[in-house]
Amino acid sequence: MTVLDVKDLSVDFATEAGTLQALRKVSLKVPANRIVGVVGESGCGKSTLINAVLGLLADNGRVTAGQILFEGKSDLVHLDGTGMRALRGQRIATVFQDPMGALNPVLSVGKQMRDIQYRSGRSRKEKDALSVEMLRKVRIPDPEHRLAQFPHEFSGGMKQRIAIAMALLMRPSLLIADEPTTALDATLEVAIIELLKDLQKQIGCSVLFISHHLGVIAELCDEMIVMYAGEVVERGSTRDIFHNPRHPYTKKLLACDPARLARREPRLPTIPGTLPDLRNRPKGCVFQSRCELADDVCSTMPPDTALSTSHVARCWHTDETAGAAA
Amino acid sequence: MTTEPLLSVSDLRVRFRIGGMMSALAGRRTEIEAVSGVGFTLERGQTLALVGESGSGKTTLARAVDGLQPAAGGSIRFEGRELRDLPKKDWKPLRRKMSMMFQDPVGSLSPRLSVRSLLAEPFAIHGLSGRSLDAEVERLLALVGLPRDFADRYPHQLSGGQARRVGVARAVALDPELIIADEPTAGLDVSIQGEVLNLLNDLRDRMGLSMLIITHNLHVVRQIADRMAVMYLGRFVEEGETEAIFRAPHHPYTAALLSANPEPDPDKVHNRIALPAEVPSLLDRPSGCEFHTRCPFAQDICRTQAPTPSALGSSRLTCHFPLNAGPSAVEAIAAS
Ligand SMILES: Nc1ncnc2c1ncn2[C@@H]1O[C@H](COP(=O)(O)OP(=O)(O)O)[C@@H](O)[C@H]1O
Ligand SMILES: Nc1ncnc2c1ncn2[C@@H]1O[C@H](COP(=O)(O)OP(=O)(O)O)[C@@H](O)[C@H]1O
Ligand code: SF4
Ligand code: SF4
Ligand SMILES: [Mg+2]
Ligand SMILES: [Mg+2]
C-alpha cells in the first residue's frame, strides 16, 4: 500500500513581486513501512511540500494542480480544516527542526505528554509510564524526574529529543520529520536514526524524512527524492541515487559532500551559479543555467525519464550521465 | 614579536546558577560548572575546532573567551594580556581583534538594517566613521564574493548562504586576529557549506586569521581545522592535530564520536562504538573518570580514580587506557 501518494503537485505563492511557483509537478510515493528521504538546497520547496500535505500552506499559498492521496483514499488537497485537524496528530505526526514549535513553554513535559494521550483511555500512571519509556528511548537522562520539568529546563538538544518522543507517542501511520537531527551531534543523530528505524518497524509506520545531511539520508532511508528549485529532479532507492545518480544536479550535490573527501582539500567542491528566480522560472529544465550538458532541447520541459522501475530522473540527457558523481 | 601564542587559555571555569530559591532551600545543588578546567593554546593562523555533544559547554567556552560570559576561574590570555575580569571598557578595543560569528545567520542580523548598514556598523561602533564607509562596504562585499548591489538588500532578502556571507563579512570587517564562529555552517546545504568554508579558509590564508570554530559536523572539522578538541561535560577529553585524531583517536569518547559519523553510502557497514544512552547531569558528575558511565572500555580504576591529563603523540588526553596507543599503552593496561 502507498501511505502517501503525491501526484503532479504544483503550488504557487502570491507575492508583491508576482506569482512565485514554489512547486512544479512534484510526484512522489511513500509506501507503507518505508522511510523516504527528501534532499535539496534550502528554498527548493521541501517545507512547502510538507505544508501542502499537512494542509498548512500560508494564506498566500495555493495548490494549483495535482493530488495528495493519503492512505489510498482522501485527497488532502480537498480535505477541509476539520478533516485535516483530525488527521494531524493522529495519523500524521510531525517533528520540526525547532522543537519549541511542538513544546508549550508553560506546561511541564509530563503534562504535555499526558495531553497527547488524551484519547488513549489509559490511567494517568500508565500515561506517565509510557512517557518515561519514550523519553528514555530518546536518551533523556533521569526521565522519571524530568517529567515534572518545563521545556526551558532542557538544553536545545534535549528539547528536540522530547519533541521526537512526543510525535512518536501517537503511533502515527506517517511521521513527517523536517530536519529533526540538524541540531544534534553525531552520536545523538545516529541514535535518533536508529531509534526512528526501530520505531518505524515496531509501529509499522512510514516516515518522510527531510534533511540536507546526505549521510543521514543514506543511513536511514530506503528511498529518496532529490529536489531542486521546486521540482523533484530525481527519485529512486537510496542505493540508486548514491551509487548511480543520473540527474546532473544530483551528481553535483553528492560531489559537494565533504564526507566524500578522504583528506583535507584546499578547496571544497561547490555548485557554481545560482538558483533560478522562482517568480520567473526558466522555460524548460530548471537546472539549465548550471548544467554542463545543457543544450537546445533543454529549453523545453524535460520528461521524467524512467531508468529502472523505481528510478526516475527529470532530464533530457540521462543517456550521458551514467557513471560516478561528477 | 613574542613567541607567545595568540590565545592561551588555562584552567578556565564557567559556572551557572540553576534552579531557584526553592531548590537551594531544599538543599539541592544549584550550581553547574559548564566549563570545567579547560586549557588550550591557539597559534596565529591556526584553526581549532571544538566538538562534543550539545550541552557539553562549547558555546559557553566560546562566550567566555569572547568576554560575553564571566569566568569563575582560570585565565584567558590574548596576545599575552590577561582578559579575565577585564573591565567592560577595555573590551571595546579588543572586539576589533576578536570577533564572534553567531550561529543563526538571519536572526543575528537586524532585520531593519540594509546590508550596507550592517557592514558599516562595526566601523561606526569603533568610531571609525572617518573612513570611506562606502568603499569599505564594497571591499567587504567583494571579499566574501557578493555582488555590489547586495548593499541595498535587507536580511530577509538573502538566502541562508548569502546571510552567512554577510555574517562573515561583518566578522572580518575590522581585520581581526581571531574569529570565533559558533556553528558557522549549521543548517546550510553542502554546496553552500563548501562556499562558506572555502571563504573562511581563503580569509585565513590571506589575512593570517586564527579561528576557533564550533561545529558538530566532523567532516567540516576535518576540512577546516588544524587542531580539534573534544568536549565532554565541560572538559576537554582529547585535544590534538585533527588528522592524527581522525586516523587514530585515543580517547574512547572521541573514537565513539568518529565512529558515529554518518557517511553518504547506503551500503557502508558501520563498525560503531555504541554508547549507552544516558548523558550524566552536570549536577551529578560521575566519580573517577566522568566518562565511565558510558565507556565501553571502563575498568574498575575508572570508577574511582580520575585520570590525569597525559600527552600521546600530538594529542593531550584524559584517559587511563588510551586507544590506538601502541605497545606502551598495552603495557600500561596489562600492568594495572
Ligand atoms: N508564504 C510564502 N510566500 C512567498 N514565498 C514563499 C512562502 N513560503 C515559501 N516561499 C518561497 O517558496 C520557495 C520554497 O520555500 P520552502 O518550501 O520553504 O523551501 P525549503 O523548505 O526547501 O527551504 C522559496 O523560494 C521560498 O522563498
Ligand atoms: N545562561 C545559562 N544558564 C544556565 N545554564 C546554562 C546557561 N547557558 C548554558 N547553560 C548550560 O551549560 C551547559 C553547556 O551549554 P552550552 O555551552 O550551550 O553547550 P553546547 O554549546 O556544547 O551545546 C548546558 O548544560 C546548558 O544547559
Ligand atoms: S535536461 Fe538538460 S539542462 Fe536539464 S539537467 Fe538534463 S542535461 Fe542538464
Ligand atoms: S579512563 Fe576509563 S572510563 Fe574513562 S575514558 Fe578511559 S577507559 Fe573509559
Ligand atoms: Mg524548509
Ligand atoms: Mg552551542
Side-chain angles (χ1 to χ4, degrees), chain B residues 92-93 95-96 117-129 133 170 174:
Chain B
K92 197 173 161 190
R95 298 247 175 264
R96 292 187 59 178
S117 315
L118 285 165
L119 295 183
E121 197 177 49
F123 299 97
I125 289 173
H126 290 278
L128 303 172
S129 43
L133 286 183
R170 269 164 68 87
L174 302 171

Side-chain angles (χ1 to χ4, degrees), chain B residues 108-127:
Chain B
S108 60
L109 304 174
S110 335
R112 286 172 203 295
L113 296 183
S114 66
V115 168
R116 180 190 319 284
S117 315
L118 285 165
L119 295 183
E121 197 177 49
F123 299 97
I125 289 173
H126 290 278

Side-chain angles (χ1 to χ4, degrees), chain B residues 14 19 39 47 95 102 104 159 241 253 260 266 283 334:
Chain B
V14 178
T47 300
R95 298 247 175 264
F102 294 97
D104 173 21
S159 70
E241 281 171 16
Y253 179 60
L283 278 170

Side-chain angles (χ1 to χ4, degrees), chain B residues 285-321:
Chain B
R285 289 176 175 272
S287 61
C289 170
E290 293 182 340
F291 190 53
H292 87 253
T293 58
R294 299 172 74 199
C295 182
F297 308 102
Q299 307 194 23
D300 285 345
I301 184 183
C302 304
R303 290 175 193 100
T304 52
Q305 264 184 53
T308 47
S310 57
L312 198 57
S314 72
S315 298
R316 283 184 69 71
L317 72 149
T318 329
C319 172
H320 290 301
F321 307 109

Side-chain angles (χ1 to χ4, degrees), chain A residues 41 190 219 239 243 264 268, chain B residues 191 198 204 260 267 272:
Chain A
E41 296 183 298
V190 164
E219 197 156 314
R239 277 205 184 82
H243 295 327
R264 187 164 172 179
L268 296 171
Chain B
S191 70
N198 285 341
R204 178 185 51 195
D267 294 324
R272 289 207 163 114

Side-chain angles (χ1 to χ4, degrees), chain A residues 233 246-249 284-295 297-303 314-318 320-321:
Chain A
V233 293
R246 297 292 291 277
H247 194 282
Y249 172 67
C285 176
V286 289
F287 193 56
Q288 269 171 92
S289 67
R290 303 170 88 174
C291 182
E292 281 134 25
L293 298 178
D295 61 14
V297 67
C298 301
S299 60
T300 51
M301 184 74 175
R314 186 173 283 184
C315 171
W316 283 112
H317 295 309
T318 50
E320 294 171 42
T321 58

Side-chain angles (χ1 to χ4, degrees), chain B residues 144-189:
Chain B
V144 298
L146 289 174
R148 265 193 211 178
D149 58 293
F150 268 60
D152 298 316
R153 294 211 184 181
Y154 286 83
H156 72 271
Q157 296 169 316
L158 303 175
S159 70
Q162 291 162 348
R164 212 72 61 118
R165 280 167 187 270
V166 172
V168 174
R170 269 164 68 87
V172 300
L174 302 171
D175 296 334
E177 306 283 337
L178 172 65
I179 287 193
I180 300 173
D182 197 351
E183 304 275 8
T185 65
L188 293 184
D189 316 294

